[in-house]
Amino acid sequence: MKPIQTVLITGANAGLGREAARQLALHDGIEKIYLGCRNELKAFAAKAALEAETGRKIFDIILMDMSDPASVRKAVADLEEPIDAVVLNAGGMGGRDPAARTKSGVTSIFAVNVLGHAVLVDELLERQLLTSTVLYAGSEAARGIPKMGIARPVLETSSVNEFASIADGSKFNAKSDPLELYANVKLVAALWMSSMARQHPHIRFVTMSPGGTTGTNGMDDLPFIKKLFFKHVGWVLMPLFGMMHGLEVGAKRYVDGLLNPKFESGRFYASGGGSPTGPVVDQTTIAADLDNAAFQDNAKQAIRLFA
């Protein structure tokens, strides 16, 4: 597998994506970083700031809206040269109504966290524009975070139909907690990545959680009380109790996942135990069903029903 020299990061104008771009630029072997952004003004502001901070003019902008597969396809169609690695970082809670269905038939939260990224990877592979590594921003929520009151997703059959019901939101109801939707969505994505690793053995597919990270925009669209807790109370108190860490730590997990070969293809790495911080471990040691090939393939098939 060739050394990683060019990287595309989705959601790169702020938070973890921007910090990952900054850290990667400090590695001599990295020659080009594509900032995948939805907003052009914010993209150019991030590019200018990153050039000033790193002293390197290696940043290019690719405009794409990860919640819109058509936007993603257009962005890939405009690419003129291969990319070694992609960091599938864009995500969050899917706007003010995460359960609202997009024109693709999936919920907003599923569209931005999973469907857009699946389309991006498939398009890059189809055009032979991806040479080395795919890293997906996973979450400890996919196997539950007891210390934060986030239950492990409950699957009855792990069938294609059940995963499709997560994608289109029919598994949930109006009273479902947005964090429940988020946990299920991140579980589907981790399984999809493992299936892709088996289907494309020449490409490395690593799911890496950035962990509980302060300074991100991911919780901006939560209901007011939850947003207040996570962003204004949690960011102050949770680090004191070892429940959250800074942007630099979360982004470094991405960089390590990309550049350190000890992180194996098809694996989902996140913090151990019931916390979203601390050393990362292979999550199959916590939840064995993550290693079930049939479940993985079912998740991938469900995603492609909407792609």
Side-chain angles (χ1 to χ4, degrees):
M1 196 170 294
K2 73 184 294 288
I4 294 174
Q5 297 176 308
T6 59
V7 183
L8 164 62
I9 304 172
T10 67
N13 64 275
L16 283 160
R18 183 190 181 286
E19 174 60 19
R22 187 192 69 81
Q23 291 188 23
L24 282 167
L26 302 179
H27 287 262
D28 291 337
I30 303 297
E31 298 179 354
K32 178 74 69 176
I33 297 175
Y34 294 95
L35 306 176
C37 305
R38 179 176 56 182
N39 183 292
E40 187 172 12
L41 289 177
K42 291 180 179 179
F44 277 100
K47 179 177 184 290
L50 285 165
E51 289 176 346
E53 291 170 16
T54 64
R56 301 190 71 191
K57 293 186 179 296
I58 63 170
F59 304 96
D60 276 354
I61 292 169
I62 298 179
L63 293 177
M64 62 173 74
D65 181 349
M66 299 312 299
S67 67
D68 180 2
S71 172
V72 174
R73 289 189 174 99
K74 182 182 183 306
V76 176
D78 291 340
L79 283 175
E80 297 180 351
E81 56 187 11
I83 293 172
D84 295 325
V86 292
V87 178
L88 307 178
N89 163 72
M93 300 306 296
R96 296 191 179 278
D97 188 358
R101 287 190 185 176
T102 69
K103 59 185 179 183
S104 298
V106 300
T107 60
S108 294
I109 192 170
F110 194 90
V112 70
N113 282 282
V114 185
L115 184 61
H117 286 136
V119 170
L120 174 60
V121 173
D122 282 348
E123 291 292 309
L124 289 171
L125 289 169
E126 177 68 22
R127 295 190 58 207
Q128 298 184 355
L129 291 174
L130 183 59
T131 69
S132 176
T133 302
V134 177
L135 185 138
Y136 179 80
S139 173
E140 284 82 1
R143 47 78 173 161
I145 313 175
K147 292 181 180 179
M148 295 180 71
I150 301 176
R152 180 178 174 182
V154 176
L155 298 177
E156 296 179 1
T157 63
S158 297
S159 65
V160 174
N161 286 340
E162 184 168 24
F163 289 126
S165 75
I166 294 172
D168 66 18
S170 59
K171 182 178 174 68
F172 312 102
N173 57 55
K175 295 183 179 180
S176 295
D177 189 322
L179 289 174
E180 180 185 0
L181 274 66
Y182 181 76
N184 278 267
V185 163
K186 287 295 188 179
L187 173 58
V188 174
L191 292 168
W192 160 70
M193 284 284 290
S194 295
S195 179
M196 292 294 285
R198 287 185 289 102
Q199 183 182 358
H200 303 281
H202 65 294
I203 300 291
R204 189 164 150 260
F205 287 83
V206 176
T207 300
M208 176 66 75
S209 171
T213 306
T214 61
T216 68
N217 300 322
M219 299 300 173
D220 282 351
D221 296 316
L222 282 172
F224 176 76
I225 296 299
K226 287 185 179 292
K227 176 181 175 180
L228 179 68
F229 175 76
F230 276 101
K231 291 202 67 172
H232 302 286
V233 178
W235 286 5
V236 174
L237 296 180
M238 286 188 178
L240 299 178
F241 293 96
M243 296 297 292
M244 296 189 87
H245 49 226
L247 274 178
E248 297 84 357
V249 177
K252 188 176 185 300
R253 287 190 180 189
Y254 288 171
V255 175
D256 290 345
L258 276 185
L259 304 181
N260 190 333
K262 81 172 186 179
F263 295 108
E264 299 178 5
S265 186
R267 296 298 174 181
F268 169 23
Y269 296 95
S271 301
S275 170
T277 60
V280 298
V281 300
D282 180 349
Q283 295 298 287
T284 61
T285 63
I286 298 173
D289 54 349
L290 288 167
D291 207 25
N292 186 303
F295 296 171
Q296 295 165 2
D297 291 347
N298 287 346
K300 182 179 65 181
Q301 288 181 50
I303 293 169
R304 287 184 172 163
L305 293 175
F306 304 95

